[in-house]
Amino acid sequence: MTEPIVVFMSSDDEYAPFAATTMVSILEHTEASVKFYVADCGISERNKRRLLHIQQSGRCEIEYVVLDMEALFRDCVERTWISKAMYGRYVLPQLAKNEKRAIYTDLDVAFVGDIQQLWDEPLEGCTIGAVPSQRGRINRHYQEYKLTNGLDPEHDVFMSGLLLIDCEKWREEGITERLLEVSRRELLLDQETMNIVFDHNRYQKLDAKYCVIYKLLNTCFLPEEKEALLRRQVIVHYPGGNEWKPWNNPSLWGGEFFWETAQKTEFYQDILQRGGEQTMEALEKELERHDSVMIYGAGEIGMLTAKTLLSLHCRARVTAFLVSRRSAGSPARLDVCGTEIPVLEAAEAAVDERTLVIAAVSSLWMREIKRNIQGLGFRHVVYMTPLLERALRANRFYLAQEVESLTRHVQKLEKEMNGLYALLNTATDITRCRPAAGELAKVQQANILLLDIFHAICRREGIAYWLDWGTLLGAVRHGGFIPWDDDIDVAMMREEYDRMLPLLRRYLEPWGFVISEGRGYLNQVIRIDLEGYPATLDIWPYDFSEVDVGDPDAREDLREKIHLCHKAFFNRYAANYSKGKLKVFPRNRIEEIRLEVLGGCDPSRRRSIHGGIEAITYEEPSIFAVEDVFPLRPIRWEGRETFAPNRAEQYLTVIYGDYMSYPKMKVGGHNNIMRHKNYDFDWEIKLLTDVKLSLESGAAPGKDEGKR
């Protein structure tokens, strides 16, 4: 059995949430098992239980090493933004006596690559490996810093937040005792102390990818160096004071990696609250010193402030909204969560020593409001800041109140809609809906001709297809178009789908048709249309699979893999094509990704069919038994014969469930009419008719006389 990667970290109770985010980010990016040693500098039992949830993955073990902080670090210094828990790195290699090698990491980090890369780095006989400080590239290699701390001028100062440690050499050389002795004697923090102990470059230099500091990228690296580093990054570090921590600064560059992991921990709600806790505590203390509160500003931020104060049980304190000037007809009172609050002009308000005024306006108006407040002589004022606004929005009482209100509203709407659906489905027959009229009828007429053209090409070239999605539903339920549909959907297997694009271009482009794939942002399928006209036909690819749809576990596993294929194809290629970054649709990558994720399909073991990975939709991937689709059977649609899956009813049930009822989510078309106004309908019908007649007469494709 492979030995686990050993990771040291040190935490007190305040930093327990970030121990969790660090652990999860490590596990999210490696397949290796990991053993975490946590220097316990005062972690509560409650937070230890929450951390233990991480062990449920089965790929890690957490062992706490309880430290006597007073005995070990009594004479060591600390700072306001960091506690004595930082010194836990000094003693872990000494106390974990059975470990030969370990990685130490600070907790203000996010692993974005595989920790195995760092674990496999050679130490070349050194006791530790570390990343040289990136600031050394721009400030004369820390010359003053090295002079102050008595370091060798040629020493490359390293960062102590990430260390690769040979624990046996560490113990042999008495590093723990030396670090503690220097810290106590010189009253230095961990980074200075470690650089003194490992002076003269007595450490193995590690690649900067193990400590990427986003705030230094633009100043410490050339553009090409920065891009190369970002492509290789394994660990993102957030060193510095509170403003450089992602949990305090939601707009911090690179902070998204932290938040992606934080939401997967038991501490997520705590972390959301943490950023505004000090601000909210200060505001609540200020409220305790006053009898009443007036909120200057009755807009969105003013309402937010009022709701939050009311949720904090300050109901008696909020006595008025203040405005610079009340316009004629504006309300004299505003309802906030059932409480009527008067709206007063600030110049007329009775503001005394026991009244707190909160200026709750956006930064755009704050300068003007400040002048007004100063002119009126208000004594006790709290001005809205981005941090205070964020704290108000993150306040759990306010959020709970908003969620409750929205939930009630949604439940009311759902009840009303369910009643409407029940009435429609019991009092009307969906199969007898009136056909489309007006502009929609014209669009459907053009689409009927477009399907005739497509059918003629497929018949001439020996290509099998079937109606799909709403077009198939219309054929089964209405004998033609769904009354509110406005395009055509057909489907075919991959082998024939791959033949279609060049054939369609050869037959139809001379007539002015646009044959494309990847035009939609999500559905990267082949589309036939006329530029500026609403008639549209989409061709959906399908692939065979060996999965038995009767096995629920196997079917769900296939669905998850199809989702992975969607994500891989879209993120790697399709999104860039839609944005114009790729000139050619990345068709050649489809099979590559399919084989990578889904594997091949032996023709003798074909048991099911599913949509192609480029056919990305909002619905769950549909998976059909082969016998549900083949052999295809004829079906009447708008008075002509076309093709449907063998068991069309079962096919539609897989897609829509109860397909004979009115749809709950959406009754309407795809807005082709709205997107194509003032087009020449008669010209479109004439062109489509000419193309249809040309194909049915057996004319060769691409004739010059066919061009627009």
Side-chain angles (χ1 to χ4, degrees), residues 134 208-214 217 229-230 233 235-237:
Q134 293 156 23
K209 69 181 180 180
Y210 297 120
C211 192
V212 180
I213 303 173
Y214 272 61
L217 287 176
L229 181 58
L230 290 177
Q233 61 184 346
I235 304 170
V236 177
H237 193 190

Side-chain angles (χ1 to χ4, degrees), residues 463-486:
I463 290 177
Y465 77 92
W466 64 91
L467 303 184
D468 203 7
W469 295 100
T471 310
L472 176 62
L473 176 58
V476 171
R477 196 171 67 190
H478 303 275
F481 261 113
I482 296 174
W484 47 84
D485 202 2
D486 64 357

Side-chain angles (χ1 to χ4, degrees), residues 416-444:
E416 293 173 355
M417 293 300 293
N418 287 336
L420 176 60
Y421 293 134
L423 177 64
L424 283 171
N425 286 314
T426 56
T428 66
D429 183 351
I430 194 171
T431 65
R432 296 186 179 183
C433 288
R434 293 179 59 184
E439 291 298 314
L440 181 54
K442 292 180 180 180
V443 173
Q444 291 185 355

Side-chain angles (χ1 to χ4, degrees), residues 303-373:
M303 292 295 287
L304 164 70
T305 305
K307 288 180 180 180
T308 305
L309 296 186
L310 291 176
S311 70
L312 292 173
H313 309 293
C314 300
R315 188 179 300 271
R317 299 174 182 273
V318 183
T319 57
F321 285 108
L322 303 180
V323 295
S324 299
R325 188 177 296 105
R326 278 187 59 203
S327 59
S330 63
R333 306 179 76 83
L334 292 175
D335 184 293
V336 183
C337 303
T339 300
E340 292 283 333
I341 301 177
V343 181
L344 309 175
E345 288 194 3
E348 300 173 355
V351 179
D352 57 25
E353 285 289 323
R354 301 295 297 170
T355 300
L356 175 67
V357 175
I358 300 178
V361 297
S362 71
S363 57
L364 184 66
W365 304 105
M366 187 60 76
R367 182 175 297 179
E368 178 183 342
I369 296 302
K370 278 187 176 180
R371 285 199 299 267
N372 291 348
I373 288 174

Side-chain angles (χ1 to χ4, degrees), residues 557-614:
D557 182 62
L558 177 58
R559 278 204 177 98
E560 291 178 2
K561 288 181 177 179
I562 293 170
H563 274 306
L564 287 176
C565 287
H566 286 346
K567 185 176 180 180
F569 178 70
F570 184 74
N571 289 344
R572 294 184 202 172
Y573 308 111
N576 287 331
Y577 178 74
S578 294
K579 295 173 184 176
K581 295 180 181 180
L582 292 177
K583 301 300 182 186
V584 180
F585 184 73
R587 175 186 286 272
N588 60 320
R589 302 295 186 183
I590 296 171
E591 185 65 14
E592 173 187 309
I593 293 172
R594 283 186 64 248
L595 291 174
E596 177 185 338
V597 179
L598 299 176
C601 179
D602 186 334
S604 66
R605 301 180 63 185
R606 292 172 174 173
R607 306 182 71 178
S608 57
I609 292 170
H610 62 82
I613 69 167
E614 69 270 47

Side-chain angles (χ1 to χ4, degrees), residues 377-429:
F378 295 164
R379 296 289 303 275
H380 304 288
V381 183
V382 171
Y383 291 98
M384 186 62 60
T385 65
L387 185 58
L388 176 55
E389 183 181 345
R390 177 181 173 227
L392 293 174
R393 292 188 187 279
N395 181 268
R396 63 183 181 275
F397 300 111
Y398 166 72
L399 290 175
Q401 191 178 69
E402 290 294 284
V403 169
E404 183 180 352
S405 174
L406 286 172
T407 300
R408 286 197 302 269
H409 183 62
V410 169
Q411 288 171 344
K412 180 182 177 183
L413 290 177
E414 284 182 344
K415 186 176 180 180
E416 293 173 355
M417 293 300 293
N418 287 336
L420 176 60
Y421 293 134
L423 177 64
L424 283 171
N425 286 314
T426 56
T428 66
D429 183 351

